[in-house]
Amino acid sequence: MLKTCLFPAAGYGTRFLPATKSLPKEMLPILTKPLIHYGVDEALEAGMDSMAFVTGRGKRALEDYFDISYELEHQIAGSSKEPLLAEIRQLMNKCSFSFTRQNEMKGLGHAIYTGRGLVNDEAFGVVLADDLCINEDGEGVLSQMTKIYEKYRCSIVAVMEVPREQTASYGVISGRAIDDSLIMVDDMVEKPNPDEAPSNLAIIGRYILTPDIFSILERTAPGKNGEVQITDALKTQALEGMVLALKFKGRRFDCGSLHGFVEATNYFYEREYGKDNS
Ligand code: UTP
C-alpha cells in the first residue's frame, strides 16, 4: 500500500573522510554491495517500488548505480563475470528511481522536505542507508513498520534502546506503551545529553511519514546545530496528532561510523563465508 521510499543521502559523510571526498557514503560496500543497495532491498521487501533519492553535489555515483552501464555490461556479457550483475539488474527491473538534489545541507528535516516533489500526497517510507538493518528471523524493519502503519495510519519511527551515555548521538523519544513493542510518543528530543534525555529509546534511520509532515516541516525552525530536524517536526506531529515508535525486531548497524561499518562487514562476511573458512 505504501509505494514510495525516500532516501535522504545528501550528507557529507565526514566520518569517512578522505574516502567520502569523492565517494558518497551510501556507496561504501558491505562485502560487494553498496549500503544503498541494502536499503533499497529493504524497501522493496516492504512492498515499496518507487525509490526516491535526495542527493547532493558529488553524489552522481548513486544515480549511475541504478542505471545501465553499457560499456561494462557489453564487455562482460557471456563471461563468468556476468552473473555478478544479476542481483542489481533484478532490482532495477522491480522498481523505479527518481532523484532530486538538496543544494544546501540544512539537516535531515530539510532533506526530507526537499524530497516532497518525489512523494505523492500519501504516506511514504524513509530509509537512511547508513543504518543497515537486518532481521534474520523474519521480516525487515521497514516491513514491520508498514504493518503498524496499516493499522494506525500515522507516522512511525523505529527505536532501539541505547546506553544512556549515547543519547547525544540520536533523537530520543518518550511516551506511553501500547504493547510490548509499540509506544505512543509524547516527547522527542534531538541529540539530548544523557541527563536531559527523556528515555534511552533512540530513533534509528527508518521512518514512515504521513504527508502532512511537509507542512509541519515548512514551519519548523532550525533546531540543534542550526539544522531543520525531522525530530522537531515529528514532535509537533505527535502533539497535534499521533506518532508511534516501534521497538523493531532485528539488528541495526551504524554504518555511518567506522566501528559500525566494520562490525557490519564482519557480520556479513561471517554469514556469507563463515562456513567455508571453518
Ligand atoms: P548524518 O549526520 O549521519 O550524516 O545524517 P552525514 O552528515 O552524512 O555524516 P557525518 O556525520 O558527516 O559523518 C543522517 C542522514 O541524513 C542525511 C545523510 O545523508 C544521512 O543519510 N542528511 C543529513 C541529508 O540528506 N541532508 C542533510 O542536510 C543532513
Side-chain angles (χ1 to χ4, degrees), residues 7-16 25-26 54 59 102 104-112 127-130 191 227 256:
F7 296 84
Y12 289 124
T14 53
R15 283 168 287 173
F16 277 91
K25 172 171 68 174
E26 297 76 12
V54 179
K59 300 268 188 173
Q102 185 187 18
E104 291 175 280
M105 300 316 124
K106 291 184 184 168
L108 177 58
H110 181 259
I112 291 173
V127 167
L128 305 185
D130 47 357
K191 300 190 170 69
E227 296 181 335

Side-chain angles (χ1 to χ4, degrees), residues 194-250:
D195 52 338
E196 290 157 359
S199 77
N200 68 336
L201 286 172
I203 305 172
I204 64 140
R206 298 290 181 279
Y207 306 78
I208 287 178
L209 301 176
T210 51
D212 54 311
I213 198 74
F214 294 123
S215 60
I216 298 175
L217 278 167
E218 216 163 47
R219 56 184 159 96
T220 301
K224 196 98 182 181
N225 304 331
E227 296 181 335
V228 180
Q229 301 290 352
I230 189 65
T231 310
D232 294 339
L234 279 163
K235 181 176 176 179
T236 305
Q237 209 178 30
L239 297 177
E240 293 177 358
M242 179 160 96
V243 172
L244 295 174
L246 174 70
K247 288 191 207 166
F248 62 93
K249 293 193 184 71

